[in-house]
């Protein structure tokens, strides 16, 4: 039934996910805001963002929604690329151990969990043993 309802509609894209995320933040903030006026502002923002989310998700004007999403992705490209590069570095830290060559100070990457291994520097050819 849900599949038929969303057939031919925009559904979830990155812009819709972001609108939903900020809408939920406004909803939680409206519950914990100290003053009644601030609660109302956050709740109004939540209702507005929820309306935008529903409108975009159920819209049949897919080319226009794709154009809006493409604009959003262009504007947030730098932020997303920084986050993705941090995630990639964290993944590499989990899989590899990084050493510095004692003679030329070049960074060398070896797989974790291989025990005591002999590392040969690609730049200067120096050999040394390290625990991975």
């Amino acid at each position: 039934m849900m599949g038929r309802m969303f057939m031919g509609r925009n559904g979830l894209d990155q812009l819709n996910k972001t609108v939903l995320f900020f809408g939920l933040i406004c909803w939680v903030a409206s519950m914990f805001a100290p003053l009644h006026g601030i609660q109302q502002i956050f709740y109004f923002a939540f209702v507005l963002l929820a309306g935008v989310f529903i409108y975009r998700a159920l819209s049949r004007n897919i080319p226009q929604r794709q154009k809006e999403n493409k604009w959003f992705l262009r504007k947030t490209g730098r932020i997303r690329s920084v986050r993705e590069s941090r995630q990639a570095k964290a993944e590499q830290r989990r899989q590899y151990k990084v050493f510095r060559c004692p003679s030329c100070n070049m960074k060398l990457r070896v797989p974790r969990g291989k025990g005591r291994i002999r590392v040969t520097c690609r730049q200067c050819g120096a050999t040394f043993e390290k625990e991975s």
Side-chain angles (χ1 to χ4, degrees):
M1 186 172 135
M2 289 297 283
R4 279 192 315 206
M5 186 177 108
F6 277 97
M7 192 175 293
R9 299 185 188 268
N10 187 45
L12 281 179
D13 56 12
Q14 289 83 359
L15 178 56
N16 248 8
K17 289 177 185 177
T18 305
V19 167
L20 178 63
F21 175 74
F22 283 111
L24 292 175
I25 287 176
C26 288
W27 178 59
V28 170
S30 74
M31 290 191 294
F32 295 109
L35 300 173
H36 184 66
I38 295 174
Q39 285 178 343
Q40 288 179 332
I41 291 171
F42 278 124
Y43 189 74
F44 177 73
F46 161 69
V47 170
L48 184 69
L49 289 171
V52 169
F53 171 78
I54 292 169
Y55 173 76
R56 290 193 83 256
L58 297 178
S59 175
R60 289 187 185 260
N61 189 357
I62 294 174
Q64 182 62 33
R65 302 294 85 85
Q66 287 176 342
K67 184 178 172 185
E68 294 166 355
N69 190 51
K70 193 179 284 187
W71 173 85
F72 172 74
L73 291 175
R74 228 182 7 257
K75 293 295 181 183
T76 60
R78 286 186 182 160
I79 296 168
R80 286 181 297 106
S81 67
V82 167
R83 191 184 84 212
E84 289 166 1
S85 69
R86 285 183 183 166
Q87 287 174 343
K89 285 180 184 178
E91 181 64 29
Q92 283 212 358
R93 275 188 243 113
R94 281 191 290 276
Q95 292 180 352
Y96 299 100
K97 193 161 188 173
V98 177
F99 299 115
R100 288 212 175 261
C101 175
S103 58
C104 69
N105 214 23
M106 181 179 177
K107 283 186 180 180
L108 303 169
R109 187 181 73 168
V110 297
R112 286 189 179 272
K114 298 292 182 184
R116 191 144 187 89
I117 59 171
R118 177 170 290 165
V119 181
T120 303
C121 178
R122 293 178 302 224
Q123 188 172 0
C124 68
T127 303
F128 55 96
E129 285 192 13
K130 288 283 188 172
E131 190 73 31
S132 71

